[in-house]
Amino acid sequence: MTIRQLSETLINQIAAGEVIERPASAAKELIENALDAGATRIEIATAGGGKTLLRVTDNGCGMAPGELELAIRRHCTSKLDTDLLDIRTLGFRGEALPSIGSVARLSLLSRTAEASEGAEISVTGGKVEPVRPAAANRGTVVEVRDLFFATPARLKFMKSEKAEASAISDVVRRMAIAFPHVRFVLSGSDRTTLEFPATGTDRLARIAQVLGRDFRDNAIEIDAERESVRLTGFAGLPTFNRGNSLHQFAFVNGRPVQDKLLWSALRAAYAETIPHGRYPVAVLSIEIDPALVDVNVHPAKSDVRFRDPGLVRGLVIGAIREALGREGDRAATTGASGLMRAFRPEAQRPATPWTPAASPYRPFEPAASMPLRAAQTGFAEFATPSARSEPVFTAQQPVPDDAPPQHHPLGAARAQLHENYIVAQTQDGLVIVDQHAAHERLVFEAMRNALHSRAVPAQALLIPEIVDLPEDDCDRLVAHAGEFAKLGLGIERFGPGAIAVRETPAMLGEMDATGLIRQLADELAEWDTANGLKAKLEYLAATMACHGSVRSGRRMRPEEMNALLRQMEATPGSGQCNHGRPTYIELKLSDIERLFGRS
């Protein structure tokens, strides 16, 4: 077999197969170039999902005519000097433009602020045309037509125009969140115009442009730092969740990434607060010394590698849990919106034909109205306890009946409906509380605090269980033996390639010790943390809390209901139960007045 040098065109086409996977990949590279050039306005135009046309226009610093020839050469860049460990720009390899030019019809039109006229260069399937003068505004216009026309086999793997256009929209949204001071406009014949005006330093305003105004009302700010690694951003309330992970955004030094370490940490931070199959909404930004993160591990720069992944993961989990503990008793505003829709008459229209008697706007008929006695029963009939009921709550500071409800965020209890829902009056509205879900969360938090404040009771095995593992896994497990002992799991080395399990947590009862040890070994190998055992204990605590809390159908006294409300206000995360469902819904007085047409 003869060894030969590949042609420059073939080299660029191979690079294009790695860097330019689809039109969205090309859009990402071109937008990154515009941002690195200092642009404050970027306009993206597409046609045919980006396969027919992709044009990116910016007002950045531009390029001189002599630089245009270098820009379309492989490995020519102005962003990297000599230190590959000190990368402070989005791009640095100098592969994007020559890769795109080798598989498409590429043209660059650019002018610097000092030049009186611009210059243009074209590349068609790897063939470069001479630079020529051209009229241009300050900045650069990169136009890509007929993407992959030089490699038609790649076109067979493209998705529909709609899917490709949607992927470009997702790229623009991520870039818009990362750079709120830049104005982005996305338009074209294959889409409706998408515009994100610059918001300066108000990052939450830009996030609201992308994720909607609901996120602004249901977001918790995050700002934490540990060992020169800083985490900022916003995390949604647990009850403000979505059915997929498309509303999760992560950035490392301003670079949008899809990193499995960060997604794993995000899931762990919301453990026991979000239902299975639902995903939190979050925008996380990590600022770290470039020397402590490797952004050169993936051709598309979508993955990064941290020098200390355990530190980053712990920072994300700790910061989000602290934020949820600080404001996690809030309920999502979307619950009130759903309640408003349920109250509207059009939401209750029956399928039967309309009749005057069935109209909600029929004339008032005293005979058909509610008996006066039922209207006067009020609080007493709703909240009278049964003869067999026993007090469950004791308020530490009893609230007198005439105390203004505005003294407490969740107000003062006024009634109990259907022996399951507590209605409380607040200063500016009312709150409806699910008594079972609320008490379940209170019990779970108490049990979890007990787990974390002292060692978990352990039960000794009559015959130690021996687990055969690779030597590396044994070393990692033994290094964390002290942590496991606090959780009731006693392990020790048992010769080469084996671990002896001598104690297991008493609250887990009979368990598969071998399966648990193997799971912990896998976690340590991938994340250098072993949270599986703690998660099992917390899951059991959640199950016990569910069965040990106030059941639906249990009548409660007024003082018990008020005590429950006060405990909710003092307990982190009381806005949702252990299964992620909301524990209460708040309806503002303005919403109620709007229902009755008073405002």
Side-chain angles (χ1 to χ4, degrees):
M1 182 179 294
T2 303
I3 298 177
R4 62 182 182 276
Q5 175 72 44
L6 296 177
S7 66
E8 189 69 19
T9 299
L10 188 56
I11 291 174
N12 288 334
Q13 289 179 348
I14 294 174
E18 298 176 345
V19 180
I20 311 301
E21 301 175 358
R22 57 193 305 190
S25 304
K28 173 180 176 293
E29 297 290 342
L30 298 182
I31 294 173
E32 287 181 350
N33 285 344
L35 292 169
D36 286 338
T40 58
R41 186 181 69 252
I42 300 177
E43 299 177 3
I44 305 99
T46 64
K51 293 180 287 187
T52 304
L53 170 67
L54 173 62
R55 183 191 302 118
V56 178
T57 305
D58 69 69
N59 65 342
C61 62
M63 291 179 285
E67 293 178 325
L68 287 178
E69 293 183 347
L70 289 175
I72 50 92
R73 290 185 184 179
R74 185 171 169 84
H75 297 158
C76 292
T77 178
S78 62
K79 308 171 187 179
L80 183 64
D81 191 6
T82 57
D83 189 359
L84 192 59
L85 299 179
D86 189 23
I87 297 175
R88 300 181 184 273
T89 55
L90 297 175
F92 54 89
R93 295 195 188 98
E95 287 184 318
L97 293 178
S99 297
I100 295 173
S102 68
V103 296
R105 307 182 198 278
L106 171 69
S107 68
L108 276 74
L109 175 63
S110 186
R111 182 176 75 85
T112 62
E114 298 79 14
S116 58
E117 66 175 1
E120 184 177 13
I121 190 172
S122 300
V123 185
T124 303
K127 298 180 180 179
V128 182
E129 298 181 7
V131 178
R132 54 189 179 276
N137 295 323
R138 177 194 170 183
T140 304
V141 179
V142 183
E143 186 173 281
V144 181
R145 291 186 177 272
D146 302 327
L147 187 63
F148 298 125
F149 89 94
T151 54
R154 293 294 301 274
L155 290 173
K156 299 178 181 179
F157 297 92
M158 295 294 102
K159 297 183 180 180
S160 66
E161 291 185 2
K162 184 177 181 180
E164 297 296 345
S166 177
I168 295 176
S169 300
D170 183 64
V171 169
V172 174
R173 289 189 182 96
R174 293 181 184 276
M175 291 296 185
I177 292 177
F179 299 90
H181 63 281
V182 179
R183 175 177 178 264
F184 289 85
V185 179
L186 176 60
S187 61
S189 59
D190 54 353
R191 66 175 71 247
T192 57
T193 301
L194 188 66
E195 183 173 357
F196 300 116
T199 61
T201 57
D202 190 350
R203 191 176 182 189
L204 185 57
R206 170 54 64 83
I207 296 174
Q209 292 177 357
V210 178
L211 298 182
R213 289 179 297 178
D214 282 346
F215 183 76
R216 176 191 285 272
D217 299 330
N218 296 279
I220 303 174
E221 186 174 6
I222 297 174
D223 191 346
E225 187 171 356
R226 183 184 300 176
E227 297 182 21
S228 74
V229 180
R230 188 182 181 193
L231 174 67
T232 59
F234 297 88
L237 294 171
T239 48
F240 184 77
N241 50 63
R242 292 292 183 265
N244 55 49
S245 59
L246 297 179
H247 295 79
Q248 298 175 355
F249 300 88
F251 307 90
V252 176
N253 291 341
R255 183 188 306 278
V257 297
Q258 298 280 350
D259 189 77
K260 64 178 183 178
L261 171 70
L262 298 179
W263 300 147
S264 170
L266 186 62
R267 287 196 303 270
Y270 279 89
E272 306 297 341
T273 63
I274 289 185
H276 179 70
R278 305 292 295 181
Y279 297 84
V281 182
V283 177
L284 305 178
S285 178
I286 294 178
E287 299 175 17
I288 186 173
D289 186 343
L292 300 180
V293 58
D294 187 359
V295 299
N296 197 29
V297 298
H298 191 276
K301 302 186 292 291
S302 59
D303 292 336
V304 295
R305 182 176 298 158
F306 297 100
R307 179 175 295 182
D308 190 349
L311 170 64
V312 176
R313 190 173 191 272
L315 174 62
V316 172
I317 295 175
I320 294 179
R321 285 186 174 177
E322 188 275 334
L324 294 179
R326 184 178 68 247
E327 301 187 45
D329 56 337
R330 289 167 48 194
T333 59
T334 51
S337 302
L339 188 61
M340 288 283 290
R341 288 193 298 268
F343 272 127
R344 291 193 180 100
E346 56 268 23
Q348 304 292 338
R349 287 179 179 172
T352 56
W354 180 88
T355 60
S359 172
Y361 306 106
R362 66 184 184 277
F364 177 71
E365 300 176 10
S369 62
M370 180 179 64
L372 181 62
R373 183 194 61 80
Q376 293 176 338
T377 54
F379 181 85
E381 184 160 323
F382 280 114
T384 301
S386 62
R388 293 177 296 175
S389 64
E390 295 296 333
V392 177
F393 299 96
T394 302
Q396 296 177 355
Q397 296 180 351
V399 180
D401 294 338
D402 59 349
Q406 61 265 26
H407 283 187
H408 307 290
L410 295 182
R414 291 290 180 255
Q416 182 186 23
L417 303 179
H418 298 288
E419 300 178 341
N420 189 49
Y421 301 101
I422 299 172
V423 180
Q425 177 184 345
T426 63
Q427 182 180 9
D428 56 353
L430 62 86
V431 170
I432 303 176
V433 179
D434 184 336
Q435 66 186 40
H436 171 68
H439 192 217
E440 178 183 346
R441 186 70 189 184
L442 299 180
V443 174
F444 170 66
E445 288 296 332
M447 296 184 67
R448 182 159 65 176
N449 290 337
L451 282 175
H452 295 172
S453 61
R454 59 179 181 271
V456 176
Q459 59 182 1
L461 300 181
L462 184 61
I463 301 177
E465 191 158 345
I466 309 301
V467 184
D468 294 325
L469 292 170
E471 195 67 23
D472 291 342
D473 287 343
C474 292
D475 292 339
R476 283 189 285 263
L477 287 169
V478 172
H480 289 77
E483 300 176 26
F484 296 146
K486 296 179 181 178
L487 296 175
L489 179 65
I491 63 172
E492 61 182 31
R493 289 296 293 260
F494 192 78
I499 291 290
V501 182
R502 299 192 178 277
E503 294 179 330
T504 59
M507 63 185 302
L508 292 181
E510 295 184 8
M511 58 172 296
D512 179 13
T514 299
L516 175 61
I517 292 297
R518 295 188 184 279
Q519 176 186 343
L520 296 176
D522 293 340
E523 287 186 8
L524 287 172
E526 187 167 7
W527 309 115
D528 196 29
T529 60
N531 294 314
L533 179 57
K534 185 182 296 184
K536 286 180 179 293
L537 294 174
E538 291 190 354
Y539 176 79
L540 181 59
T543 303
M544 296 169 63
C546 182
H547 290 280
S549 58
V550 173
R551 309 302 299 176
S552 300
R554 186 274 205 188
R555 289 190 177 184
M556 300 177 65
R557 296 191 179 99
E559 59 270 18
E560 293 178 312
M561 290 187 284
N562 278 313
L564 176 62
L565 297 177
R566 301 294 81 77
Q567 290 186 26
M568 290 177 63
E569 293 164 355
T571 302
S574 61
Q576 65 282 328
C577 72
N578 309 334
H579 312 291
R581 296 187 295 268
T583 58
Y584 72 91
I585 295 176
E586 184 176 9
L587 197 62
K588 297 296 184 181
L589 187 59
S590 58
D591 296 329
I592 300 175
E593 291 175 343
R594 193 160 57 247
L595 285 172
F596 286 97
R598 296 172 63 93
S599 62

